[in-house]
Amino acid sequence: EAQVTQNPRYLITVTGKKLTVTCSQNMNHEYMSWYRQDPGLGLRQIYYSMNVEVTDKGDVPEGYKVSRKEKRNFPLILESPSPNQTSLYFCASSLWRTGMSSYNSPLHFGNGTRLTVT
Amino acid sequence: AQKITQTQPGMFVQEKEAVTLDCTYDTSDQSYGLFWYKQPSSGEMIFLIYQGSYDEQNATEGRYSLNFQKARKSANLVISASQLGDSAMYFCAMRRSKYGNKLVFGAGTILRVKS
């Protein structure tokens, strides 16, 4: 089954304790991205990657790190989490081919990770 | 800058009736894609339907159809024969050819289906 898998689904942690949220897709998609969703602020992009070893900042990258060493995996790292990073996080992937109408490609989302930082 | 506007924070619809969720967008690009997603209370984001800026026909996908009016920059979602399971948050989103690195979302509309 084609899917984007995020883990964990729920995570409660304390301020300053490094954590990683994993994301894996089995659709051979070039593009992957992380979003956070907050009440009243909607969905905002944190980081994205157009292919292996190619990552770039989205709208709210502060406090986050990502890496794309393999095509299928795109982990989100919080080196020193703070309470303002409490949120619902989504990983997403899509096709992206330079020169093609890749803007037509829908993003496929993982089930989300609810992170609470106390 | 691109922007998606969903003017209806919440909607109610009677079971088995049709409902239209509004979406307007703002872009100067010629090439772009418009998407609708459903987010049930369990939290996941489910892709429903897509419309390309060059598509002349309105997109349809089962009970979902997209009323695309390019000149008015609107892309309304129509759900026919509403079911209780349609109760959810619905997001309209846009992806531009020039900045395809990002999907920009509207604020969403909460739909409640009444029995």
Side-chain angles (χ1 to χ4, degrees):
Chain A
E1 182 191 351
Q3 59 185 4
V4 178
T5 303
Q6 281 180 244
N7 280 299
R9 286 295 305 274
Y10 302 90
L11 181 56
I12 301 173
T13 190
V14 296
T15 299
K17 186 176 181 182
K18 181 180 178 180
L19 66 92
T20 299
V21 184
T22 63
C23 175
S24 181
Q25 51 93 6
N26 62 2
M27 294 170 279
N28 202 35
H29 284 164
E30 295 79 13
Y31 172 92
M32 297 185 75
S33 183
W34 279 100
Y35 284 79
R36 61 178 289 176
Q37 184 180 21
D38 302 289
L41 296 174
L43 286 117
R44 295 177 292 168
Q45 189 185 53
I46 303 170
Y47 268 95
Y48 66 95
S49 169
M50 302 297 257
N51 216 323
V52 177
E53 303 290 4
V54 180
T55 63
D56 209 343
K57 296 177 182 178
D59 297 319
V60 288
E62 294 76 23
Y64 304 95
K65 281 177 58 176
V66 293
S67 68
R68 187 94 182 272
K69 294 184 169 54
E70 304 164 285
K71 197 171 186 179
R72 62 184 292 126
N73 296 326
F74 192 44
L76 179 70
I77 302 155
L78 284 72
E79 295 268 0
S80 183
S82 62
N84 65 11
Q85 293 179 298
T86 293
S87 187
L88 176 59
Y89 290 87
F90 288 102
C91 179
S93 74
S94 80
L95 289 170
W96 188 265
R97 305 273 164 78
T98 305
M100 295 180 62
S101 303
S102 294
Y103 60 87
N104 292 338
S105 301
L107 261 60
H108 299 269
F109 285 83
N111 285 340
T113 296
R114 287 195 181 274
L115 172 64
T116 303
V117 183
T118 61
Chain B
Q2 55 182 334
K3 188 178 177 182
I4 302 288
T5 303
Q6 295 180 253
T7 56
Q8 307 151 312
M11 293 278 286
F12 282 98
V13 65
Q14 197 67 38
E15 196 177 7
K16 297 180 186 174
E17 291 184 352
V19 62
T20 298
L21 306 183
D22 294 341
C23 172
T24 58
Y25 59 94
D26 183 19
T27 183
S28 56
D29 287 14
Q30 296 301 310
S31 304
Y32 51 88
L34 296 157
F35 306 83
W36 278 90
Y37 286 84
K38 173 185 178 181
Q39 186 177 39
S41 57
S42 49
E44 66 268 30
M45 293 286 285
I46 302 166
F47 166 63
L48 295 177
I49 194 167
Y50 157 80
Q51 181 86 40
S53 58
Y54 295 110
D55 295 342
E56 294 184 353
Q57 303 260 16
N58 285 339
T60 60
E61 199 69 53
R63 292 186 301 110
Y64 304 110
S65 60
L66 207 153
N67 184 359
F68 181 48
Q69 298 186 47
K70 191 171 181 177
R72 298 180 62 182
K73 293 188 176 179
S74 76
N76 299 338
L77 177 70
V78 180
I79 306 174
S80 62
S82 297
Q83 301 171 356
L84 295 177
D86 294 334
S87 293
M89 176 76 92
Y90 289 82
F91 291 97
C92 179
M94 177 168 63
R95 193 173 195 181
R96 298 155 68 193
S97 63
K98 200 173 180 181
Y99 301 100
N101 55 297
K102 183 163 65 175
L103 198 62
V104 174
F105 287 85
T109 296
I110 298 175
L111 176 67
R112 291 287 177 252
V113 181
K114 300 184 288 184
S115 59

